[in-house]
Structure formats: C-alpha cells, structure tokens
C-alpha cells in the first residue's frame, strides 16, 4: 500500500472491529468461527461478548483464542456451552472431508469451502438438540445423478 499504508491499516482495523465475534440465539445456539481451548474457556462468559471493548487489539488474546483454537473435546465443549448458555456450538474453521463433522456432544462443525461444503437451515423460534441440528445438514452443491443412456 506504500504511502496509503496508514489509511489502509485504519480501514482494516475499522472493518475488523465491526465484525461480530459470535452469535448466541434465543433458542440457545452459539455460532462462531471456532471455540476456545480448555485452558482459556474459564475467561469467557456472555458478559464478555456483550461488554467487550471495541478495540480489537485490546481484547486480542481472547479474540485470537476464540477465532483460532480447535478444542473439540467434550470437557471443553461442555464448559464453554455452559458459560454461553448454549445447547449446541456451531463452528467452522476446520476442514472436514465430508463438509461437516460432529466431534463432541456439543459441537457441530460446518465446512463450506469446496464441492462437499455444507450449510444448515434452522428456525430460531424453537429449541434444537444436537442430534436434531445434525439432521438439518445439507450440501451446498449436492451430487447430481449421472445420466445414463436410458435417461437420454
């Protein structure tokens, strides 16, 4: 960016600060890029999300841990879900051979990166169990039936 570096950096900072770190729905779903590891989960609660500073870099360690950790062990997931008052933790950030993964009793990983990418369609006016959400997984681009001579 040469002589525009300072302006570009300021705009990038403004953009990063405008992004939501997570969404916790009324029906107790928690959606984020990832979830914190078991060593730092104790530092997170809903108040931190509600009252965090607007300075992306001031909250840096916690933001970094939320965005880049990949602790899907049941113990960490249970504690984080309890702290977030969430039934299910829906995350991304992990490549999944089949477009999704269910690594714990609380986590559901949705990977939308390629031809096996998946998505969820959920209602926000009703509760879901982990198993129910798993049944709503759909492919972004479902495999098509190959034509045979009899289809022509």
């Amino acid at each position: 960016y040469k002589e525009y570096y300072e302006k570009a950096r300021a705009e990038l900072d403004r953009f990063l600060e405008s992004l939501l770190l997570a969404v916790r729905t009324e029906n107790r779903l928690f959606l984020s890029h990832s979830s914190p590891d078991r060593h730092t989960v104790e530092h997170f609660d809903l108040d931190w999300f509600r009252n965090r500073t607007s300075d992306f870099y001031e909250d840096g360690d916690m933001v970094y841990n939320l965005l880049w950790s990949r602790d899907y062990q049941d113990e960490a997931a249970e504690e984080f879900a309890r702290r977030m008052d969430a039934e299910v933790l829906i995350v991304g950030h992990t490549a999944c051979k089949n477009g999704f993964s269910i690594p714990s009793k609380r986590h559901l990983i949705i990977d939308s990166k390629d031809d096996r990418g998946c998505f969820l369609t959920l209602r926000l006016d009703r509760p879901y169990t982990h198993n129910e959400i798993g049944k709503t997984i759909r492919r972004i681009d479902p495999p098509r039936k190959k034509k045979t001579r009899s289809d022509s």
Side-chain angles (χ1 to χ4, degrees), residues 47-66:
D47 285 338
W48 180 80
F49 286 96
R50 291 179 182 126
N51 304 318
R52 62 179 285 274
T53 70
S54 63
D55 185 343
F56 183 83
Y57 299 101
E58 185 177 316
D59 290 336
D61 289 344
M62 287 182 66
V63 170
Y64 183 90
N65 197 277
L66 180 69

Side-chain angles (χ1 to χ4, degrees), residues 28-137:
R28 302 185 63 234
L29 306 176
F30 186 87
L31 298 89
S32 64
H33 184 64
S34 191
S35 57
D37 65 51
R38 68 181 186 273
H39 303 295
T40 60
V41 72
E42 68 191 47
H43 301 292
F44 289 88
D45 60 29
L46 286 174
D47 285 338
W48 180 80
F49 286 96
R50 291 179 182 126
N51 304 318
R52 62 179 285 274
T53 70
S54 63
D55 185 343
F56 183 83
Y57 299 101
E58 185 177 316
D59 290 336
D61 289 344
M62 287 182 66
V63 170
Y64 183 90
N65 197 277
L66 180 69
L67 295 178
W68 300 109
S69 292
R70 289 185 178 118
D71 193 340
Y72 301 128
Q73 295 178 45
D74 283 331
E75 181 183 325
E78 287 296 327
E79 179 62 14
F80 190 62
R82 184 187 69 75
R83 290 174 163 277
M84 297 301 108
D85 187 27
E87 182 65 30
V88 181
L89 306 170
I90 301 171
V91 300
H93 183 61
T94 301
C96 302
K97 185 176 181 179
N98 295 314
F100 71 95
S101 178
I102 303 173
S104 75
K105 296 173 187 171
R106 294 284 184 173
H107 276 105
L108 177 64
I109 303 170
I110 298 296
D111 181 3
S112 58
K113 71 172 177 358
D114 59 26
D115 63 340
R116 290 172 300 226
C118 291
F119 68 97
L120 302 171
T121 302
L122 301 170
R123 296 178 55 113
L124 299 179
D125 63 349
R126 74 176 217 44
Y128 285 92
T129 65
H130 190 261
N131 283 342
E132 288 175 315
I133 290 179
K135 292 175 184 175
T136 72
I137 298 168

